[in-house]
């Protein structure tokens, strides 16, 4: 029911403007000083107003902890962190940012979210679909959903745009959830 409501709402929105430049995705896998392997992916994309938005996700493969954040022109909008010893995801967001709706829309409309997850899941070392690998993917999912929810909360600072922000947030969260949950299917 929720998916049908979201699809109906999105179909009623005007089409996004053609992007000026395609999203750029970057990724890495590196070893920390503590000998932990960290998987990192970032995507940058142009907003209709010309600013550059970035979404980043980083997960420690040994501790199943990490962080995701969203920014515009280097200004942090929202952040979600899952510490190895924490009971849940901690989120932080600015109180209001006028470009938050465009950031959420752009993640989906430009294909940026899909590109970031393709980079995050691919690379030199594929995620193993073991019990531990699935735990790492689950941690990544919680981190992503936390960062998107914090961005949607920023977006709701302007009450009139809140329904559109919540819908865009739900769709963007679903993209990450499906990519990370579906990886080992």
């Amino acid at each position: 029911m929720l998916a049908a409501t979201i699809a109906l709402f999105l179909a009623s929105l005007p089409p996004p403007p053609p992007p000026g430049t395609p999203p750029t995705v970057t990724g890495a896998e590196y070893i920390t000083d503590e000998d932990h392997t960290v998987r990192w992916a970032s995507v940058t994309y142009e907003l209709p107003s010309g600013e550059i938005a970035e979404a980043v996700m980083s997960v420690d493969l040994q501790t199943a902890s990490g962080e995701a954040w969203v920014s515009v022109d280097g200004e942090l909008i929202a952040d979600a962190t899952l510490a190895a010893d924490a009971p849940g995801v901690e989120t932080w967001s600015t109180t209001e940012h006028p470009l938050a709706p465009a950031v959420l829309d752009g993640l989906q409309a430009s294909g940026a979210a899909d590109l970031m997850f393709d980079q995050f899941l691919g690379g030199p070392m594929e995620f193993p679909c073991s019990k531990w690998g699935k735990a790492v993917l689950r941690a990544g999912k919680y981190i992503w959903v936390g960062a998107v929810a914090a961005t949607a909360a920023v977006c709701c600072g302007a009450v009139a745009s809140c329904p559109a922000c919540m819908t865009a947030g739900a769709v963007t969260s679903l993209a990450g959830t499906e990519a990370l949950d579906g990886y080992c299917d």
Side-chain angles (χ1 to χ4, degrees):
M1 178 70 176
L2 177 61
T5 303
I6 290 171
L8 181 62
F9 178 81
L10 290 176
S12 69
L13 293 175
T21 57
T24 303
V25 66
T26 307
E29 189 171 280
Y30 59 92
I31 307 296
T32 67
D33 291 340
E34 294 82 25
D35 207 27
H36 288 209
T37 303
V38 174
R39 178 72 60 106
W40 172 87
S42 167
V43 66
T44 57
Y45 55 99
E46 188 175 350
L47 300 177
S49 55
E51 288 89 351
I52 301 298
E54 180 178 27
V56 176
M57 190 163 126
S58 173
V59 177
D60 182 315
L61 303 184
Q62 274 68 37
T63 62
S65 61
E67 182 175 26
W69 66 89
V70 178
S71 65
V72 174
D73 284 344
E75 180 184 344
L76 190 64
I77 291 179
D79 175 77
T81 303
L82 178 64
D85 56 355
V89 175
E90 294 181 26
T91 61
W92 171 91
S93 60
T94 59
T95 54
E96 187 173 341
H97 196 287
L99 295 174
V103 168
L104 287 172
D105 288 340
L107 270 168
Q108 283 307 112
S110 69
D114 292 335
L115 288 171
M116 186 183 76
F117 285 109
D118 288 347
Q119 180 69 41
F120 184 78
L121 294 168
M125 186 176 98
E126 298 289 327
F127 271 99
C129 286
S130 63
K131 184 177 180 179
W132 182 250
K134 290 178 182 180
V136 171
L137 294 171
R138 187 172 42 254
K141 176 179 72 172
Y142 294 144
I143 293 164
W144 176 252
V145 170
V148 171
T151 305
V154 170
C155 186
C156 277
V159 178
S161 66
C162 200
C165 294
M166 287 296 126
T167 302
V171 170
T172 305
S173 288
L174 187 60
T177 299
E178 287 178 348
L180 296 168
D181 280 346
Y183 180 75
C184 289
D185 290 343

